[in-house]
Amino acid sequence: MSLPVLTQRVRSLWQPRRGLAIAEASVIGLVAALSAVFLKVGSGWLGTWRVHSTQMLPAWVALPLVGMGFGFLSGWLVQRLAPEASGSGIPQVKATLANVPMTLSWRVAAVKLISAIIALGSGITLGRQGPTVHVGAGLAAGMSRWVPTSPDHRRQMIAAGAGAGLAAAFNAPIAGVLFIVEELLQDLSGITLGTAIIASFIGGVISRLLGGRSLDLNLPLTESISQFSLPEIPFFLLLGVLAGLLAALFNQGLVFSIKIYRRLHVSLPLRVALAGFISGCVVAMLPPSFRDNTGLREYLITGQANALLAAIAFVSQFVLTLVAFGSGAPGGLFAPSLILGSCLGHIIGVFESQLLGGGSHTTYALAGMGGFFSAVSKVPITAIVIVFEMTTDFNLVLPLMIVSVTSYLVAEKVVPGSLYEKLLKLNGITLAANVPVEGIMTTLTANEVMQQRVETLDVEMTSDEAIQAFSRSHHRGFPVVEEGKLVGIITQSDLLKIRDRNLPNDTAIREVMTPKPITVTPQHNLRNVLYLLDRYQISRLPVVEGRKLIGIITRADIIRAEADHLNCENATMGPQPEPSYVVYQTRSPNIGRGRLLVTVANPETAGTLLQMAAAIARDRHYEIECVQVILVSRHSSPTETEVRTAKSRRLLRQAEVLAKKWKIPLHTQIRVAHDVAQAILETINERHIDLILMGWKGNTSTPGRIFGTVVDTIIRQATCDVVLVKLGQQSTVNHQYTFNRWLVPMAGGPNATMAIKLLPALVTLGNDPQIRLTRVFKPSELAPDMTVLEQAIRQLIRRRKLSSTVVASPVKADSVSQGVINLVKTEGYDVVVLGASREGLLQQAIQGNIPEAIASGVESTVILVRGAVNS
C-alpha cells in the first residue's frame, strides 16, 4: 500500500468522534501529569541546591548571584526559542480558547517547562502551577494538531490539558475540572465535561502516585485539625474583606509592575536577571525559612510562626512577587497567592486568639489561602475546592466558603474584571464577552449548503476519457464512484501520474485516483467543513451518508451561505442558486507573475476600466482575466439555459484589442449565473486571482446594502486585492475621463500603502499628472502628524518610473469625508484614491460610510482600494 493511500485512510479515521476525544483526553492527562512531576522535581532540586549554596558562600553573595544567573538563562531561553512562553501562561491559554490566534504548541510547552524550572530554581517568588497549566495546554494543542479533528475538538482538548496540568500541580482533580468550567471555557457540554474529568482525574492520580503522596500540605496538616465555631464568623468575614482589598491592590500592582519594566526598554533576559538579583538580595536579609517558599507556607499554616514573622512574610512576598511577575519570568501566581493568603489568615488568627482566646491558626491560614486565591484569580469555587482537596478536611468547608466568597465580592467591587483579561489587554488583546464567535458557521450544516447535483466519474473510466471530461468542465477535480458509492477523488494533478509512471492512455482512473478521500457527513457544521478544507488545502469535500455520495461542498458554497446571511437573505425562500457555468472562454499563455480580474458590464465604462486594468497589469507583469456575467432566472439551470453571447463577446473584443496593443496576456470568459457576485467569487477561486478591478456607481438605494448587492459581497468575501472604481464626469471637450490631478487621503492604515503602490501604474493614464497626499486632522489638534505622509512620499520616490509631481500637505476639517470633498471642489481634483480594509468599510457604513459619502459628494473619479485577506 502506498504512503498517500495509507495517509488518506488514516486521516479518514481521524475525523471527530467521541471515542477519540476520550482516548486523547486520557493521553493528555498522562502527559500533563508527567510534565507536572518533572517541573516539581526539577524546580525543587534546583531550589535545594540554591539553599545549600548559602552554606558554601555567604547568603548575600550566593542568593543574588544564583538569582541573577538563573534568571538570565531562563529569560534567554524564552526570548530565543519561544517568546510566547513568558509569564504565567494562563492568559495565553485563555486567549487561545477564545479563538485568538496565539502560538500554543509542543515547542512552547517544552520551553515553558525548562525555563520555569530554571526560573523557579533561581529563587524568584513565583509558582509552578501556572506554568504547569500552560505546559499541559501546549502539549494538548500539539497533540490535537498531530491528530487533526475540528476546532471545537481542539479547544476542548486544550482546556482538558490545562485542567490536567492544574490537577497534577495541586493533586486536585475536581479543581482541575472546575477551573475549566469556571475560568477557561465556561462550558458545561457533555464532551467538554467528560474530557475535562478524564484528563484531570488521570493527571491527579499519576501525579499523586509518582509524587509518593507528597501533597506538600498533607503531612503537616494531619497533625492539626481545623476548628470552627459560630463566634468566629465575624473574624472570617474580616479576613475575607481584607483578602479582597489586598488582592485588588495586588492585581493593580501586577499591572503597574509590567508597565514599569516596559519603560526600562531592556530585553527579557535582563529583566528576569534583575528580578532574580533583587529577590536574592531581599531574601538574603530575611530569616533562613524565607529561602524555601513551600517550607514557609507549611510553617505558617501549622501555626509555628508569630504574627510579626507572618507580617514580614506577607510584605516581602507581596513586593517580591510584583518584582518577579512584572519581569515576564515564566512563573505563576497561584503559589504566591496561597502564601500571601496563609500569612494574612495567620495574622487574623492570632488577632482572634488575643480577643477570644480560642480558634485555630491553621484554620485561618487555610481559609486565608482560599480567600486570597479567590480574589486574585476571580474563581471562588475553584479556590474552595483546591484547598479542600489539598486538606480533605470537611470542617474547613464553611470557613473557606465564607472567606472565599466575601473576598471575591469585595475584590470584584473594588477592581472589577479578570486579571488574566487585563494582562491580555496590556498586549493589545481584548476578549469579547458573551459574543457568539462563529454565527452561522456553527448553525448551518453541510446538508443545507451542499450542491446536490454532482458531476462524477465512474471508477472504470479510462484516463483518456477523464482528460476529455476535464476539458469540457471548469472543475479541477471529480468524485469517483462505483455503483453510486464514493471510492475516490481524481484531480488534474492525479492525471499527471500517468505521464510520470509511463502508464498507457487506457489506464483506468482507479489506478491514479486518490482513494478514501476526506469526506463530511450531512450533519457536519460549516465550521468543521471549513477546518477540513483549510487543514488539507483542498477546495471541495464530498458529502456522504455511509459510502453513498449525496452532494459536494466547496469554499464558494460556504462563502455564498455567509453572504446570504449577512445580507439578510432567507435561503429558504425560492430556489437555491446553482454554480455559474462557463459558456465561452479564451486562453493565453500563463506567463504572468499574477492575475488581474476585470469585470465588464457597461459598454460606456468598460473601455476605461480595461485601460486601468492594462496599466496595473503592465506595471506588475500580471495577466488579465476578463469576465462578463449573464444572469438567468433561478428557476432555470445555468448549464441548461440557452443564452445569446454576441453583445458580451463585443465587450470582450475591446479587451483583446487593448491587450494585444500593450502585449499583455489576456484570458476571457462568459459565465451564465443566478447571481453576479457568486460568479465573480467562483472566478476568483478557480482562476487564482490576485486583484479584482470592478466598477462601482458610488451609492446604492438597495435596503440593507452599503455599496450595492454585488460590491457588498465582493468586499466581504473576496480574498484577493479589490479595487473599486466610480468614474466621474467626462470632459466636455473630448468626452473622455481625465486623470491628471490625483488626491490621496492618508490615515496610516495597511491599505493606504496598497493605494500608494497602485499610483505609479494608474497615473500613466493622465497627461503630466500631479499627486497630492493629504491627511485630515481635526481643528482641536494643535499640529498634525506628518509621519504617514513622509513615509508615503519616500515610497513613491523609490519608484524610478514615477515622473509625476508629488506634494504632501494636511487639511483641517471636522470629518474626513467633508475635508476631502471640500478639497476636491475647491482645487479641482480629477481622482480621489481611498484605502480601507474589509472590516473598516463595514464599520464605516454603520458609523457613517466615508467612501460612499465622498463618492456621492464629488463629481470626480473615486477609486477605493482594499487589500487581500486570508481565506
Side-chain angles (χ1 to χ4, degrees), residues 594-600 609 612-613 616 620 622-627 629 676-685 688-695 710-711 713-725 754 758 863-868:
R595 197 165 287 164
L596 183 154
L597 174 66
V598 57
T599 60
V600 291
L609 290 178
M612 289 186 173
I616 297 172
R620 297 190 175 190
Y622 276 8
E623 304 163 17
I624 294 179
E625 183 86 25
C626 191
V627 64
V629 180
V676 174
Q678 174 191 334
I680 294 174
L681 289 172
E682 289 174 357
T683 306
I684 291 172
N685 292 330
H688 308 292
I689 300 300
D690 300 285
L691 184 149
I692 177 173
L693 176 73
M694 58 189 302
V710 176
V711 177
T713 305
I714 300 303
I715 288 177
R716 289 188 178 111
Q717 305 298 339
T719 56
C720 60
D721 295 337
V722 177
V723 178
L724 305 178
V725 180
M754 180 186 168
L758 283 174
I863 299 177
L864 183 62
V865 178
R866 193 225 71 190

Short mmCIF file of all heavy atoms in Angstrom, two decimals, residues 594-600 609 612-613 616 620 622-627 629 676-685 688-695 710-711 713-725 754 758 863-868:
data_model
loop_
_atom_site.label_atom_id
_atom_site.label_comp_id
_atom_site.label_asym_id
_atom_site.label_seq_id
_atom_site.Cartn_x
_atom_site.Cartn_y
_atom_site.Cartn_z
N GLY A 594 1.16 37.19 -11.82
CA GLY A 594 -0.10 37.13 -11.09
C GLY A 594 -1.23 37.31 -12.08
O GLY A 594 -1.04 37.33 -13.31
N ARG A 595 -2.44 37.46 -11.57
CA ARG A 595 -3.60 37.53 -12.46
C ARG A 595 -4.57 38.59 -11.95
O ARG A 595 -4.90 38.61 -10.75
CB ARG A 595 -4.28 36.17 -12.54
CG ARG A 595 -5.22 36.01 -13.72
CD ARG A 595 -5.56 34.55 -13.92
NE ARG A 595 -4.42 33.81 -14.49
CZ ARG A 595 -4.33 32.50 -14.49
NH1 ARG A 595 -5.30 31.77 -13.95
NH2 ARG A 595 -3.29 31.91 -15.02
N LEU A 596 -5.00 39.47 -12.84
CA LEU A 596 -5.93 40.56 -12.51
C LEU A 596 -7.26 40.27 -13.18
O LEU A 596 -7.31 39.99 -14.39
CB LEU A 596 -5.35 41.89 -12.99
CG LEU A 596 -6.13 43.18 -12.68
CD1 LEU A 596 -5.16 44.36 -12.62
CD2 LEU A 596 -7.20 43.49 -13.73
N LEU A 597 -8.32 40.32 -12.40
CA LEU A 597 -9.67 40.09 -12.92
C LEU A 597 -10.38 41.42 -13.10
O LEU A 597 -10.43 42.23 -12.16
CB LEU A 597 -10.47 39.20 -11.96
CG LEU A 597 -11.95 38.99 -12.30
CD1 LEU A 597 -12.10 38.21 -13.59
CD2 LEU A 597 -12.67 38.26 -11.16
N VAL A 598 -10.89 41.67 -14.29
CA VAL A 598 -11.69 42.87 -14.53
C VAL A 598 -13.06 42.43 -15.02
O VAL A 598 -13.19 41.58 -15.90
CB VAL A 598 -11.00 43.82 -15.54
CG1 VAL A 598 -10.72 43.12 -16.86
CG2 VAL A 598 -11.84 45.06 -15.78
N THR A 599 -14.10 42.97 -14.39
CA THR A 599 -15.47 42.64 -14.76
C THR A 599 -16.00 43.73 -15.68
O THR A 599 -15.87 44.93 -15.38
CB THR A 599 -16.36 42.53 -13.51
OG1 THR A 599 -16.36 43.78 -12.82
CG2 THR A 599 -15.83 41.45 -12.58
N VAL A 600 -16.60 43.35 -16.79
CA VAL A 600 -17.15 44.31 -17.73
C VAL A 600 -18.65 44.06 -17.86
O VAL A 600 -19.09 42.92 -17.98
CB VAL A 600 -16.46 44.21 -19.11
CG1 VAL A 600 -15.03 44.68 -19.02
CG2 VAL A 600 -16.50 42.79 -19.66
N LEU A 609 -12.24 51.13 -17.75
CA LEU A 609 -11.84 50.11 -16.76
C LEU A 609 -10.76 49.20 -17.33
O LEU A 609 -9.81 48.83 -16.63
CB LEU A 609 -13.05 49.29 -16.33
CG LEU A 609 -14.10 49.99 -15.47
CD1 LEU A 609 -15.26 49.05 -15.17
CD2 LEU A 609 -13.49 50.48 -14.16
N MET A 612 -7.42 50.95 -17.21
CA MET A 612 -6.87 50.89 -15.85
C MET A 612 -6.29 49.51 -15.57
O MET A 612 -5.19 49.38 -15.01
CB MET A 612 -7.95 51.22 -14.82
CG MET A 612 -8.37 52.66 -14.78
SD MET A 612 -9.52 52.98 -13.41
CE MET A 612 -9.66 54.75 -13.51
N ALA A 613 -7.03 48.47 -15.95
CA ALA A 613 -6.56 47.11 -15.71
C ALA A 613 -5.25 46.86 -16.47
O ALA A 613 -4.31 46.25 -15.94
CB ALA A 613 -7.62 46.11 -16.14
N ILE A 616 -2.28 48.59 -14.69
CA ILE A 616 -1.84 47.85 -13.50
C ILE A 616 -1.14 46.56 -13.91
O ILE A 616 -0.09 46.20 -13.35
CB ILE A 616 -3.04 47.56 -12.58
CG1 ILE A 616 -3.67 48.86 -12.08
CG2 ILE A 616 -2.61 46.69 -11.39
CD1 ILE A 616 -4.97 48.67 -11.32
N ARG A 620 2.74 45.48 -13.04
CA ARG A 620 3.01 44.34 -12.15
C ARG A 620 3.35 43.05 -12.90
O ARG A 620 3.56 42.02 -12.26
CB ARG A 620 1.80 44.09 -11.24
CG ARG A 620 1.48 45.23 -10.31
CD ARG A 620 0.44 44.81 -9.29
NE ARG A 620 0.19 45.85 -8.29
CZ ARG A 620 -0.53 45.68 -7.19
NH1 ARG A 620 -1.06 44.49 -6.93
NH2 ARG A 620 -0.71 46.67 -6.34
N TYR A 622 1.27 41.28 -14.72
CA TYR A 622 0.14 40.39 -14.48
C TYR A 622 -0.50 39.98 -15.81
O TYR A 622 -0.35 40.66 -16.84
CB TYR A 622 -0.94 41.08 -13.65
CG TYR A 622 -0.72 41.06 -12.15
CD1 TYR A 622 0.45 40.60 -11.59
CD2 TYR A 622 -1.72 41.51 -11.29
CE1 TYR A 622 0.64 40.58 -10.21
CE2 TYR A 622 -1.56 41.51 -9.91
CZ TYR A 622 -0.38 41.04 -9.38
OH TYR A 622 -0.21 41.03 -8.02
N GLU A 623 -1.21 38.87 -15.78
CA GLU A 623 -2.14 38.52 -16.84
C GLU A 623 -3.50 39.14 -16.49
O GLU A 623 -3.78 39.44 -15.32
CB GLU A 623 -2.30 37.00 -16.94
CG GLU A 623 -1.01 36.24 -17.13
CD GLU A 623 -1.15 34.77 -16.81
OE1 GLU A 623 -2.30 34.29 -16.73
OE2 GLU A 623 -0.11 34.12 -16.59
N ILE A 624 -4.33 39.33 -17.52
CA ILE A 624 -5.67 39.88 -17.30
C ILE A 624 -6.70 38.79 -17.57
O ILE A 624 -6.65 38.10 -18.59
CB ILE A 624 -5.95 41.10 -18.21
CG1 ILE A 624 -5.03 42.27 -17.83
CG2 ILE A 624 -7.40 41.54 -18.10
CD1 ILE A 624 -5.23 43.50 -18.70
N GLU A 625 -7.61 38.64 -16.62
CA GLU A 625 -8.77 37.75 -16.78
C GLU A 625 -10.00 38.64 -16.91
O GLU A 625 -10.32 39.39 -15.97
CB GLU A 625 -8.91 36.82 -15.57
CG GLU A 625 -10.04 35.82 -15.69
CD GLU A 625 -9.62 34.56 -16.44
OE1 GLU A 625 -8.42 34.24 -16.44
OE2 GLU A 625 -10.49 33.91 -17.01
N CYS A 626 -10.65 38.61 -18.05
CA CYS A 626 -11.80 39.48 -18.29
C CYS A 626 -13.06 38.61 -18.29
O CYS A 626 -13.15 37.62 -19.03
CB CYS A 626 -11.64 40.19 -19.63
SG CYS A 626 -12.84 41.50 -19.89
N VAL A 627 -14.04 38.97 -17.45
CA VAL A 627 -15.24 38.16 -17.31
C VAL A 627 -16.48 39.00 -17.54
O VAL A 627 -16.54 40.18 -17.16
CB VAL A 627 -15.29 37.49 -15.91
CG1 VAL A 627 -15.40 38.52 -14.81
CG2 VAL A 627 -16.45 36.50 -15.83
N VAL A 629 -20.73 38.46 -17.10
CA VAL A 629 -21.72 37.57 -16.47
C VAL A 629 -23.09 37.82 -17.08
O VAL A 629 -23.55 38.97 -17.16
CB VAL A 629 -21.76 37.77 -14.95
CG1 VAL A 629 -22.78 36.82 -14.32
CG2 VAL A 629 -20.38 37.54 -14.34
N VAL A 676 -24.54 37.45 -9.75
CA VAL A 676 -23.30 38.01 -10.29
C VAL A 676 -22.16 37.87 -9.29
O VAL A 676 -21.05 37.45 -9.65
CB VAL A 676 -23.50 39.50 -10.66
CG1 VAL A 676 -22.18 40.13 -11.08
CG2 VAL A 676 -24.53 39.64 -11.77
N ALA A 677 -22.43 38.19 -8.03
CA ALA A 677 -21.36 38.12 -7.01
C ALA A 677 -20.84 36.70 -6.87
O ALA A 677 -19.63 36.48 -6.75
CB ALA A 677 -21.88 38.63 -5.67
N GLN A 678 -21.75 35.74 -6.90
CA GLN A 678 -21.33 34.34 -6.79
C GLN A 678 -20.44 33.96 -7.96
O GLN A 678 -19.41 33.28 -7.80
CB GLN A 678 -22.55 33.43 -6.75
CG GLN A 678 -22.22 31.94 -6.78
CD GLN A 678 -23.44 31.09 -7.01
OE1 GLN A 678 -24.55 31.49 -6.70
NE2 GLN A 678 -23.24 29.92 -7.60
N ALA A 679 -20.79 34.38 -9.16
CA ALA A 679 -20.00 34.05 -10.34
C ALA A 679 -18.61 34.67 -10.25
O ALA A 679 -17.60 34.04 -10.60
CB ALA A 679 -20.71 34.55 -11.60
N ILE A 680 -18.53 35.91 -9.75
CA ILE A 680 -17.22 36.57 -9.62
C ILE A 680 -16.37 35.86 -8.58
O ILE A 680 -15.16 35.63 -8.78
CB ILE A 680 -17.42 38.06 -9.26
CG1 ILE A 680 -18.09 38.79 -10.42
CG2 ILE A 680 -16.08 38.71 -8.91
CD1 ILE A 680 -18.46 40.23 -10.11
N LEU A 681 -16.97 35.50 -7.46
CA LEU A 681 -16.21 34.81 -6.41
C LEU A 681 -15.73 33.45 -6.90
O LEU A 681 -14.60 33.03 -6.57
CB LEU A 681 -17.08 34.64 -5.16
CG LEU A 681 -17.38 35.92 -4.37
CD1 LEU A 681 -18.41 35.65 -3.29
CD2 LEU A 681 -16.11 36.48 -3.77
N GLU A 682 -16.55 32.76 -7.67
CA GLU A 682 -16.11 31.48 -8.22
C GLU A 682 -14.95 31.67 -9.18
O GLU A 682 -14.00 30.88 -9.21
CB GLU A 682 -17.28 30.79 -8.93
CG GLU A 682 -18.34 30.27 -7.98
CD GLU A 682 -19.56 29.71 -8.70
OE1 GLU A 682 -19.59 29.78 -9.95
OE2 GLU A 682 -20.46 29.21 -8.01
N THR A 683 -14.99 32.74 -9.97
CA THR A 683 -13.88 33.03 -10.88
C THR A 683 -12.60 33.33 -10.10
O THR A 683 -11.51 32.88 -10.46
CB THR A 683 -14.24 34.23 -11.77
OG1 THR A 683 -15.48 33.98 -12.44
CG2 THR A 683 -13.15 34.49 -12.80
N ILE A 684 -12.72 34.09 -9.02
CA ILE A 684 -11.56 34.41 -8.19
C ILE A 684 -10.91 33.14 -7.66
O ILE A 684 -9.68 32.99 -7.68
CB ILE A 684 -11.98 35.35 -7.03
CG1 ILE A 684 -12.34 36.73 -7.58
CG2 ILE A 684 -10.86 35.46 -5.99
CD1 ILE A 684 -12.94 37.66 -6.55
N ASN A 685 -11.73 32.23 -7.16
CA ASN A 685 -11.19 31.00 -6.58
C ASN A 685 -10.62 30.06 -7.65
O ASN A 685 -9.54 29.49 -7.49
CB ASN A 685 -12.27 30.27 -5.79
CG ASN A 685 -12.68 31.03 -4.54
OD1 ASN A 685 -11.88 31.74 -3.96
ND2 ASN A 685 -13.92 30.89 -4.13
N HIS A 688 -7.48 31.70 -9.48
CA HIS A 688 -6.41 32.16 -8.58
C HIS A 688 -6.08 33.64 -8.82
O HIS A 688 -4.95 34.03 -9.10
CB HIS A 688 -5.16 31.30 -8.75
CG HIS A 688 -5.41 29.83 -8.63
ND1 HIS A 688 -5.78 29.24 -7.44
CD2 HIS A 688 -5.39 28.84 -9.57
CE1 HIS A 688 -5.95 27.94 -7.64
NE2 HIS A 688 -5.73 27.67 -8.91
N ILE A 689 -7.10 34.45 -8.68
CA ILE A 689 -6.97 35.88 -8.96
C ILE A 689 -6.23 36.58 -7.82
O ILE A 689 -6.48 36.32 -6.63
CB ILE A 689 -8.37 36.50 -9.15
CG1 ILE A 689 -9.10 35.82 -10.33
CG2 ILE A 689 -8.28 38.00 -9.36
CD1 ILE A 689 -8.40 35.95 -11.66
N ASP A 690 -5.33 37.51 -8.18
CA ASP A 690 -4.58 38.29 -7.19
C ASP A 690 -5.20 39.66 -6.95
O ASP A 690 -5.03 40.24 -5.87
CB ASP A 690 -3.13 38.48 -7.64
CG ASP A 690 -2.41 37.15 -7.80
OD1 ASP A 690 -2.06 36.55 -6.76
OD2 ASP A 690 -2.23 36.71 -8.94
N LEU A 691 -5.90 40.21 -7.96
CA LEU A 691 -6.50 41.54 -7.82
C LEU A 691 -7.73 41.60 -8.70
O LEU A 691 -7.71 41.10 -9.84
CB LEU A 691 -5.49 42.62 -8.21
CG LEU A 691 -5.90 44.09 -8.04
CD1 LEU A 691 -4.69 44.95 -7.72
CD2 LEU A 691 -6.58 44.64 -9.30
N ILE A 692 -8.81 42.19 -8.20
CA ILE A 692 -10.02 42.37 -8.99
C ILE A 692 -10.29 43.85 -9.14
O ILE A 692 -10.20 44.62 -8.17
CB ILE A 692 -11.24 41.65 -8.37
CG1 ILE A 692 -12.49 41.93 -9.20
CG2 ILE A 692 -11.45 42.03 -6.91
CD1 ILE A 692 -13.71 41.15 -8.78
N LEU A 693 -10.60 44.28 -10.36
CA LEU A 693 -10.94 45.66 -10.66
C LEU A 693 -12.36 45.67 -11.19
O LEU A 693 -12.68 44.97 -12.16
CB LEU A 693 -9.97 46.22 -11.71
CG LEU A 693 -10.25 47.64 -12.20
CD1 LEU A 693 -9.91 48.66 -11.13
CD2 LEU A 693 -9.45 47.94 -13.47
N MET A 694 -13.23 46.44 -10.55
CA MET A 694 -14.62 46.46 -10.98
C MET A 694 -15.22 47.85 -10.79
O MET A 694 -14.75 48.65 -9.97
CB MET A 694 -15.45 45.41 -10.23
CG MET A 694 -15.45 45.55 -8.73
SD MET A 694 -16.23 44.12 -7.91
CE MET A 694 -17.86 44.14 -8.63
N GLY A 695 -16.24 48.14 -11.57
CA GLY A 695 -16.91 49.43 -11.47
C GLY A 695 -17.84 49.50 -10.28
O GLY A 695 -18.31 48.49 -9.76
N VAL A 710 -23.84 43.44 -5.35
CA VAL A 710 -22.66 42.71 -5.83
C VAL A 710 -21.41 43.18 -5.11
O VAL A 710 -20.62 42.38 -4.60
CB VAL A 710 -22.52 42.90 -7.36
CG1 VAL A 710 -21.24 42.23 -7.85
CG2 VAL A 710 -23.73 42.34 -8.07
N VAL A 711 -21.21 44.49 -5.07
CA VAL A 711 -19.98 45.04 -4.47
C VAL A 711 -19.89 44.68 -2.99
O VAL A 711 -18.81 44.36 -2.48
CB VAL A 711 -19.92 46.56 -4.67
CG1 VAL A 711 -18.69 47.15 -3.99
CG2 VAL A 711 -19.90 46.89 -6.15
N THR A 713 -20.93 42.03 -1.46
CA THR A 713 -20.49 40.64 -1.31
C THR A 713 -19.02 40.49 -1.66
O THR A 713 -18.28 39.77 -0.97
CB THR A 713 -21.34 39.72 -2.20
OG1 THR A 713 -22.72 39.93 -1.88
CG2 THR A 713 -20.99 38.26 -1.96
N ILE A 714 -18.57 41.15 -2.70
CA ILE A 714 -17.16 41.06 -3.10
C ILE A 714 -16.26 41.63 -2.02
O ILE A 714 -15.22 41.05 -1.66
CB ILE A 714 -16.92 41.79 -4.44
CG1 ILE A 714 -17.78 41.17 -5.54
CG2 ILE A 714 -15.45 41.76 -4.82
CD1 ILE A 714 -17.55 39.70 -5.75
N ILE A 715 -16.63 42.76 -1.44
CA ILE A 715 -15.82 43.36 -0.38
C ILE A 715 -15.71 42.43 0.81
O ILE A 715 -14.65 42.27 1.41
CB ILE A 715 -16.41 44.73 0.05
CG1 ILE A 715 -16.18 45.76 -1.05
CG2 ILE A 715 -15.81 45.21 1.36
CD1 ILE A 715 -16.78 47.11 -0.76
N ARG A 716 -16.83 41.78 1.16
CA ARG A 716 -16.82 40.92 2.34
C ARG A 716 -16.08 39.60 2.08
O ARG A 716 -15.41 39.08 2.97
CB ARG A 716 -18.25 40.60 2.76
CG ARG A 716 -19.01 41.78 3.37
CD ARG A 716 -20.35 41.27 3.93
NE ARG A 716 -21.11 42.34 4.56
CZ ARG A 716 -22.23 42.84 4.07
NH1 ARG A 716 -22.71 42.38 2.94
NH2 ARG A 716 -22.87 43.80 4.70
N GLN A 717 -16.22 39.06 0.88
CA GLN A 717 -15.83 37.68 0.68
C GLN A 717 -14.59 37.46 -0.18
O GLN A 717 -13.94 36.43 -0.05
CB GLN A 717 -17.00 36.89 0.05
CG GLN A 717 -18.30 36.97 0.83
CD GLN A 717 -18.19 36.39 2.22
OE1 GLN A 717 -17.29 35.60 2.49
NE2 GLN A 717 -19.06 36.79 3.12
N ALA A 718 -14.26 38.38 -1.07
CA ALA A 718 -13.13 38.16 -1.95
C ALA A 718 -11.83 38.14 -1.15
O ALA A 718 -11.59 39.01 -0.31
CB ALA A 718 -13.07 39.25 -3.03
N THR A 719 -10.99 37.16 -1.41
CA THR A 719 -9.74 37.02 -0.67
C THR A 719 -8.58 37.76 -1.33
O THR A 719 -7.51 37.85 -0.75
CB THR A 719 -9.36 35.53 -0.55
OG1 THR A 719 -9.28 34.96 -1.86
CG2 THR A 719 -10.41 34.78 0.27
N CYS A 720 -8.78 38.27 -2.54
CA CYS A 720 -7.70 38.97 -3.25
C CYS A 720 -7.81 40.47 -3.00
O CYS A 720 -8.71 40.96 -2.32
CB CYS A 720 -7.79 38.67 -4.75
SG CYS A 720 -9.35 39.21 -5.49
N ASP A 721 -6.85 41.25 -3.59
CA ASP A 721 -6.95 42.70 -3.56
C ASP A 721 -8.20 43.13 -4.34
O ASP A 721 -8.54 42.53 -5.37
CB ASP A 721 -5.72 43.34 -4.21
CG ASP A 721 -4.44 43.08 -3.43
OD1 ASP A 721 -4.55 42.80 -2.22
OD2 ASP A 721 -3.35 43.15 -4.02
N VAL A 722 -8.86 44.18 -3.85
CA VAL A 722 -10.07 44.68 -4.50
C VAL A 722 -9.89 46.16 -4.82
O VAL A 722 -9.49 46.95 -3.95
CB VAL A 722 -11.32 44.49 -3.61
CG1 VAL A 722 -12.55 45.08 -4.29
CG2 VAL A 722 -11.54 43.02 -3.31
N VAL A 723 -10.15 46.54 -6.07
CA VAL A 723 -10.11 47.94 -6.49
C VAL A 723 -11.47 48.29 -7.10
O VAL A 723 -11.87 47.70 -8.12
CB VAL A 723 -8.98 48.19 -7.51
CG1 VAL A 723 -9.00 49.65 -7.95
CG2 VAL A 723 -7.63 47.84 -6.91
N LEU A 724 -12.18 49.22 -6.46
CA LEU A 724 -13.48 49.68 -6.96
C LEU A 724 -13.31 51.05 -7.59
O LEU A 724 -12.63 51.91 -7.03
CB LEU A 724 -14.49 49.76 -5.81
CG LEU A 724 -14.71 48.50 -4.98
CD1 LEU A 724 -15.70 48.78 -3.87
CD2 LEU A 724 -15.20 47.36 -5.85
N VAL A 725 -13.93 51.24 -8.72
CA VAL A 725 -13.77 52.50 -9.46
C VAL A 725 -15.15 53.10 -9.72
O VAL A 725 -16.00 52.46 -10.37
CB VAL A 725 -13.03 52.28 -10.80
CG1 VAL A 725 -12.89 53.61 -11.53
CG2 VAL A 725 -11.67 51.65 -10.56
N MET A 754 -1.14 50.08 0.01
CA MET A 754 -1.53 49.47 -1.25
C MET A 754 -1.93 50.53 -2.28
O MET A 754 -1.62 50.43 -3.47
CB MET A 754 -2.68 48.50 -1.01
CG MET A 754 -3.15 47.82 -2.29
SD MET A 754 -4.61 46.80 -2.05
CE MET A 754 -5.05 46.50 -3.77
N LEU A 758 -0.29 51.35 -6.10
CA LEU A 758 -1.05 51.38 -7.34
C LEU A 758 -0.84 52.68 -8.12
O LEU A 758 -1.02 52.71 -9.34
CB LEU A 758 -2.54 51.20 -7.06
CG LEU A 758 -3.04 49.80 -6.75
CD1 LEU A 758 -4.51 49.84 -6.36
CD2 LEU A 758 -2.85 48.88 -7.95
N ILE A 863 -11.55 56.06 -6.50
CA ILE A 863 -11.01 54.69 -6.53
C ILE A 863 -10.85 54.22 -5.09
O ILE A 863 -10.17 54.86 -4.29
CB ILE A 863 -9.65 54.64 -7.27
CG1 ILE A 863 -9.81 55.11 -8.71
CG2 ILE A 863 -9.06 53.23 -7.22
CD1 ILE A 863 -8.52 55.17 -9.49
N LEU A 864 -11.49 53.11 -4.79
CA LEU A 864 -11.46 52.55 -3.44
C LEU A 864 -10.63 51.26 -3.45
O LEU A 864 -10.87 50.37 -4.28
CB LEU A 864 -12.89 52.25 -2.97
CG LEU A 864 -13.06 51.71 -1.54
CD1 LEU A 864 -12.56 52.72 -0.53
CD2 LEU A 864 -14.52 51.39 -1.28
N VAL A 865 -9.66 51.16 -2.54
CA VAL A 865 -8.71 50.05 -2.53
C VAL A 865 -8.86 49.27 -1.24
O VAL A 865 -8.92 49.86 -0.16
CB VAL A 865 -7.26 50.57 -2.66
CG1 VAL A 865 -6.28 49.42 -2.58
CG2 VAL A 865 -7.08 51.34 -3.96
N ARG A 866 -8.94 47.94 -1.33
CA ARG A 866 -8.98 47.07 -0.16
C ARG A 866 -8.01 45.91 -0.37
O ARG A 866 -8.09 45.21 -1.37
CB ARG A 866 -10.39 46.53 0.06
CG ARG A 866 -10.58 45.87 1.43
CD ARG A 866 -11.33 44.56 1.33
NE ARG A 866 -10.49 43.54 0.70
CZ ARG A 866 -10.94 42.36 0.30
NH1 ARG A 866 -12.20 42.05 0.44
NH2 ARG A 866 -10.12 41.48 -0.25
N GLY A 867 -7.10 45.74 0.57
CA GLY A 867 -6.07 44.71 0.43
C GLY A 867 -6.62 43.31 0.58
O GLY A 867 -7.75 43.09 1.02
N ALA A 868 -5.79 42.35 0.21
CA ALA A 868 -6.19 40.95 0.27
C ALA A 868 -6.36 40.51 1.70
O ALA A 868 -5.71 41.02 2.62
CB ALA A 868 -5.14 40.07 -0.43
#
